[in-house]
Amino acid sequence: NTLQRYTGVKKSKREVSRDYLAEFVKRRPDDRFGYVFFSTKSTEILKLTYNKDAVLATINAGGLGRGLSQTDIFKALSLAVNMYKDQPYRGSRNILLISDGGQILSTEQKQYLQNVFKKMRLNLYWIYLRSMRGMTLEPSNNDSLLWIDMPERKLHKTFKTLGVPYQAFEAGSLDEFAQAIDEIH
């Protein structure tokens, strides 16, 4: 069962994310999903639920319109973490962050995430929607000086040091996004 591939149709990153995320949910019939929408503010749109119709409708609505240029990823992750609060442990607990931006976290924010992710046995996946040609999360010798201190790279480095299961994916194309979703599945 492979994901549908788009051909010849120009879609925004939000539309692509929406479509592939919906396919991911459909392929996981026994999982619960929640949804946090974030930009400068974060809002829990849907609590953890088995109701796939509600999840798919929420994903569809989240892919409409344009995103904002500023993102507060820490608030979004905090809301996602809180979905698991007071929930019995039933197996793998995953937070999937889909973002085209990053954030430099304070020492306190990093410590909070490290503690809560370990305590609640959470795994973190990040699909980074690459928007700059050539900029990757991992530094290389060919980097432009502009990319050295990019918030996306600093966030990735922070996530790697949390001491919890973490995996990042870089998606600059439809195929890369589909491959990330397939691997997470």
Side-chain angles (χ1 to χ4, degrees):
N1 189 6
T2 60
L3 293 171
Q4 175 184 357
R5 305 283 191 239
Y6 294 100
T7 56
V9 177
K10 183 150 178 98
K11 290 186 174 257
S12 73
K13 288 185 278 188
R14 289 178 69 130
E15 291 171 316
V16 171
S17 297
R18 176 198 63 206
D19 294 348
Y20 282 111
L21 196 53
E23 285 298 318
F24 177 72
V25 167
K26 291 174 188 175
R27 293 164 52 189
R28 314 267 321 170
D30 299 325
D31 291 353
R32 293 185 308 158
F33 290 90
Y35 192 96
V36 172
F37 179 82
F38 66 99
S39 59
T40 53
K41 296 186 185 237
S42 298
T43 306
E44 181 183 292
I45 303 294
L46 186 67
K47 292 185 181 300
L48 288 174
T49 182
Y50 287 107
N51 184 334
K52 294 302 183 262
D53 291 335
V55 173
L56 293 171
T58 302
I59 290 169
N60 190 47
L64 301 175
R66 292 182 46 117
L68 301 176
S69 61
Q70 299 285 325
T71 56
D72 189 336
I73 291 173
F74 176 75
K75 286 183 184 175
L77 290 175
S78 297
L79 278 177
V81 164
N82 283 334
M83 287 185 185
Y84 290 102
K85 188 177 180 182
D86 301 324
Q87 295 287 321
Y89 186 80
R90 296 183 175 125
S92 184
R93 293 175 162 197
N94 302 310
I95 292 179
L96 172 58
L97 172 66
I98 301 174
S99 177
D100 64 352
Q103 177 182 0
I104 298 171
L105 300 178
S106 70
T107 302
E108 294 80 17
Q109 290 171 328
K110 178 184 173 185
Q111 190 64 50
Y112 168 78
L113 291 177
Q114 188 173 44
N115 291 339
V116 75
F117 267 72
K118 284 181 179 180
K119 178 181 177 186
M120 298 178 85
R121 296 186 277 179
L122 297 169
N123 305 317
L124 178 59
Y125 296 97
W126 181 18
I127 299 179
Y128 167 60
L129 302 174
R130 242 186 357 255
S131 52
M132 282 190 267
R133 183 177 295 260
M135 207 291 277
T136 61
L137 292 176
E138 292 292 339
S140 76
N141 292 336
N142 301 338
D143 282 347
S144 160
L145 290 176
L146 295 172
W147 297 340
I148 303 280
D149 288 330
M150 293 297 290
E152 294 84 351
R153 283 191 171 169
K154 292 198 179 245
L155 185 63
H156 176 58
K157 184 177 180 180
T158 297
F159 286 163
K160 290 192 317 184
T161 63
L162 291 178
V164 299
Y166 166 65
Q167 189 165 3
F169 301 89
E170 298 185 42
S173 69
L174 297 172
D175 284 340
E176 288 173 341
F177 193 93
Q179 289 169 7
I181 289 292
D182 284 343
E183 191 166 334
I184 293 167
H185 177 69

